[in-house]
Amino acid sequence: MEWMVAITGLPTDILILVLLAIAGAFAGFVDSIVGGGGLISVPAMLLTNVPPSVALGSNKLSSIFGAGSAAITFLRNGMVDFNLVRKLLPFTFIGSILGTIAVVSMPPLYVKPLIIVLLVAVTLFVVFKKDWGEVNRTSQVLGKALYICMGFAFGIGVYDGFIGPGTGTFLIMGFIFTGFDFLHASANAKILNFTSNLASLLVFLFLGHVNILYGLAAGAGQILGAYVGSHLAIAKGSSLVRGVFLTVTTVMLFKLVIDYISTL
């Protein structure tokens, strides 16, 4: 950090805010397309040397701006199946609250092996099944399928509150399995991701684990990145989302494996 201060001539506090905004822009861009922006924003928050719980809480503050910006864009362009999503929102909201409460007292180490296996399976599936997520094959999600979606929405909400990075990616997986194409799955995922971020943020605020200034700085970048990313996704369609999906899941997989090995 000292060398950057020397080069830019900016005070340390200002430089941190600028770097968080830049990291937020990249995170918002990636997250708006396929999720996984937390892989960028959370490490950036940790580099400020705030406690891990404050880094997570501050990241949630920034994430609601990115997810909210992308969600508004997708909604305005009619990409969201709100009839389905509105039924899932309460489950994601409650799940995220429970996950956030758990994260302050329990390390997320124990669920990482399961996530690694899941990511490997889904990544290989997408690579070898070229047409998966290319065509929107769903009309209405009813009956047993709806109950499965509710359970999935709750589980992902818990995951977002408990760990966080990759939530949007897992939500997209779930919607694609339901029959949506990559683009519509990404649009639906943003609404639920915004909901889980908001629920988690409320808990972190209540516990005093949010640096408001850092969160707002990264959030400003997230708005810009999410605006560009969501418009690009709509313009380029499912093929772009599929390519970014494979890239992000691969990076996420390597990071989780390295993190898990380093803790053994």
Side-chain angles (χ1 to χ4, degrees):
M1 183 67 72
E2 288 78 8
W3 65 271
M4 295 188 72
V5 171
I7 292 175
T8 61
L10 294 173
T12 303
D13 291 345
I14 300 298
L15 182 59
I16 288 175
L17 297 179
V18 171
L19 293 176
L20 285 175
I22 294 173
F26 280 108
F29 177 81
V30 173
D31 205 64
S32 65
I33 299 175
V34 76
L39 294 172
I40 301 170
S41 57
V42 171
M45 223 32 107
L46 288 170
L47 287 176
T48 65
N49 292 321
V50 296
S53 61
V54 176
L56 291 173
S58 304
N59 181 65
K60 288 301 178 187
L61 175 57
S62 69
S63 295
I64 65 169
F65 289 99
S69 177
I72 290 171
T73 299
F74 284 125
L75 281 168
R76 284 178 173 173
N77 285 272
M79 309 303 296
V80 178
D81 184 348
F82 199 72
N83 184 52
L84 170 62
V85 170
R86 66 182 177 82
K87 298 173 184 176
L88 306 181
L89 290 177
F91 296 92
T92 302
F93 189 88
I94 295 171
S96 183
I97 288 177
L98 296 177
T100 306
I101 292 172
V103 77
V104 299
S105 58
M106 185 187 307
L109 171 67
Y110 306 108
V111 297
K112 283 188 177 180
L114 178 61
I115 297 169
I116 290 171
V117 172
L118 179 62
L119 277 176
V120 170
V122 172
T123 301
L124 291 175
F125 189 83
V126 174
V127 168
F128 290 107
K129 190 170 177 55
K130 304 290 186 183
D131 61 341
W132 192 60
E134 290 297 321
V135 179
N136 195 356
R137 298 185 175 89
T138 188
S139 54
Q140 282 188 309
V141 180
L142 302 170
K144 183 179 179 181
L146 177 59
Y147 294 130
I148 292 174
C149 285
M150 288 175 175
F152 180 77
F154 175 79
I156 292 298
V158 172
Y159 172 81
D160 192 26
F162 192 57
I163 300 176
T167 297
T169 306
F170 289 120
L171 283 169
I172 290 172
M173 291 178 191
F175 280 117
I176 291 176
F177 275 115
T178 304
F180 290 94
D181 59 46
F182 269 103
L183 181 58
H184 288 83
S186 182
N188 291 337
K190 275 300 109 193
I191 306 298
L192 293 187
N193 204 179
F194 173 81
T195 301
S196 62
N197 282 333
L198 178 61
S200 183
L201 174 63
L202 292 175
V203 176
F204 277 120
L205 284 170
F206 178 77
L207 296 174
H209 292 307
V210 179
N211 185 308
I212 302 295
L213 189 58
Y214 287 177
L216 291 177
Q222 289 246 10
I223 292 174
L224 176 61
Y227 178 85
V228 174
S230 56
H231 279 81
L232 185 62
I234 292 171
K236 298 298 182 180
S238 291
S239 59
L240 170 70
V241 181
R242 184 180 189 275
V244 178
F245 180 92
L246 286 172
T247 302
V248 170
T249 51
T250 302
V251 172
M252 191 188 310
L253 178 60
F254 277 111
K255 183 181 186 303
L256 286 170
V257 169
I258 292 171
D259 288 348
Y260 182 67
I261 291 175
S262 67
T263 58
L264 296 178

